[in-house]
Each structure stands twice: as C-alpha cells, then as structure tokens.
Amino acid sequence: MKKLIEAAEIKEAVHKLGREIEEWYQGEPLTILGVLTGSVILLSDLVRAVELPLKIGLIQASSYRGTSTTRGELIINESLIPNVEGRHVLLLDDIFDTGHTLQKLIPIIENRKARSVRTAVLLWKAERTEVDFAPDHHCFKIPNEFVVGYGLDYNDEYRHLPYIAALEPDEIDA
Ligand code: IMP
Ligand code: MG
C-alpha cells in the first residue's frame, strides 16, 4: 500500500476541525454521534480537541459486503443512539464516499427531534459523491482510491494504522 496522509498531518487537521466545530456551535452543548466502526479513532481524537459542553454517542451503520470493496445493503443499528431531543448533533464518520450512509442517517436523527443535525468526516472522496449534499466539515479531500487506516478498514483489517494509506489494486480482492 502507499501512504497518502501522515499521522502528523491527521493530528493537525483534527485539531483544525475541532476549532471549526467550536466556532460553529459558539459554546452551545453538542452531541457528537460517531458512526461505528470507522469513526472510532477520529471520534476519540476529535472529542479531546473540542472545548464545548459535549456528549458522545454512537450509531452503527454497515453495508454488508463480502471480501470486496463494493457496497451492499446498508444496515443501521439504532439501539445505541442516546436521547438527542433538543440537542445539536454532529454525525461523525470516517469517510464521505457516495454519501448514502450519511444521507440515510440524517433523517433518523432529525426524527428524534434533534435541534440541528450536521455532518463531519475525516475524508471526502468528492468525485464519488452521489447525493445532493456535501459534508458540512471535512479534513481532507482524497482521490477515488480505496483507503485504510485511522479507523478505515479493508475486511476489518488496518483500522489501527496511525496514517491513511491507499491499497494497491493487487491488494484488493476482485
Ligand atoms: P458512503 O455511504 O458511500 O458515503 O460510504 C461510507 C462508508 O463506506 C464509510 O463509512 C466506510 O465504512 C465505507 N468506505 C467508503 N470508502 C472507503 C474506503 O476507501 N476505505 C474504507 N472504507 C470505505
Ligand atoms: Mg464505515
């Protein structure tokens, strides 16, 4: 695999994202809702870089896929979502690829009477977007390559890498 983004660059970008979030919410209480499993590393770094009255929540979304990198049916597990009624919610995911995951999650949170719902991601594969909105906050735009590390996986591997790397075509099962 080839390294795309160094750990130090990620650290700097996550701190910048923290400042952006503080500026947007202006001291208002916020729930950061991490999308499992890919957001866990970002979530743990970001929450320590945001000075706001903060609650952390989780929601699980997985698109079933075998060994390939193509997406399947999206399964959402709502059982972990905390009470968000009247609260500002920031949905946090590792990557905005086609955008379908966050497109499905936003109305679920809105229906729970959140005060506002916005989105933040580490990576945005802008040329792959298939929905009519963009993430409200992102750290890096990346080209259309399959990437791993800092929470992102290939068959549940590589999430622990402190950097972002792109898999070579011969490392991906057809
Ligand atoms: P979307 O619904 O197409 O925006 O895809 C979002 C989800 O697909 C992310 O939460 C990731 O789990 C997964 N995904 C998309 N692209 C990649 C990638 O390059 N590497 C690892 N996971 C990815
Ligand atoms: Mg994911």
Side-chain angles (χ1 to χ4, degrees):
M1 54 178 87
K2 72 171 188 281
K3 217 185 255 191
L4 279 190
I5 309 172
E6 298 282 354
E9 295 175 75
I10 299 174
K11 186 175 182 188
E12 193 186 318
V14 171
H15 277 261
K16 188 165 155 267
L17 176 60
R19 295 296 82 73
E20 264 182 52
I21 291 168
E22 287 168 7
E23 267 163 43
W24 181 267
Y25 291 101
Q26 292 289 321
E28 299 262 355
L30 174 67
T31 298
I32 297 187
L33 202 57
V35 182
L36 289 174
T37 303
S39 75
V40 290
I41 312 279
L42 173 62
L43 179 67
S44 72
D45 283 344
L46 178 65
V47 293
R48 289 176 287 173
V50 172
E51 282 189 39
L52 287 174
L54 199 66
K55 291 186 180 181
I56 299 173
L58 295 167
I59 182 169
Q60 188 179 28
S62 35
S63 37
Y64 272 98
R65 48 179 182 222
T67 52
S68 77
T69 53
T70 53
R71 28 178 305 120
E73 191 199 350
L74 185 70
I75 311 287
I76 294 166
N77 175 359
E78 297 183 37
S79 64
L80 297 168
I81 309 176
N83 181 9
V84 294
E85 191 173 336
R87 292 187 62 85
H88 293 297
V89 175
L90 182 67
L91 275 165
L92 183 71
D93 206 354
D94 50 2
I95 188 166
F96 194 99
D97 181 23
T98 64
H100 290 293
T101 302
L102 286 172
Q103 186 182 45
K104 291 224 171 64
L105 296 183
I106 290 166
I108 291 174
I109 304 309
E110 285 173 344
N111 287 339
R112 290 167 178 251
K113 302 194 174 69
R115 181 159 165 208
S116 71
V117 183
R118 290 169 60 84
T119 58
V121 292
L122 182 75
L123 306 176
W124 182 15
K125 267 189 215 173
E127 66 192 71
R128 293 253 307 160
T129 302
E130 290 177 5
V131 296
D132 63 359
F133 68 99
D136 295 304
H137 303 273
H138 71 279
C139 293
F140 303 97
K141 269 190 189 166
I142 59 161
N144 182 15
E145 290 183 278
F146 194 83
V147 292
V148 296
Y150 201 75
L152 292 124
D153 73 303
Y154 175 60
N155 292 339
D156 269 322
E157 284 191 85
Y158 309 122
R159 293 194 198 274
H160 63 290
L161 299 177
Y163 50 84
I164 299 287
L167 293 184
E168 308 285 356
D170 66 355
E171 294 174 297
I172 300 175
D173 295 339

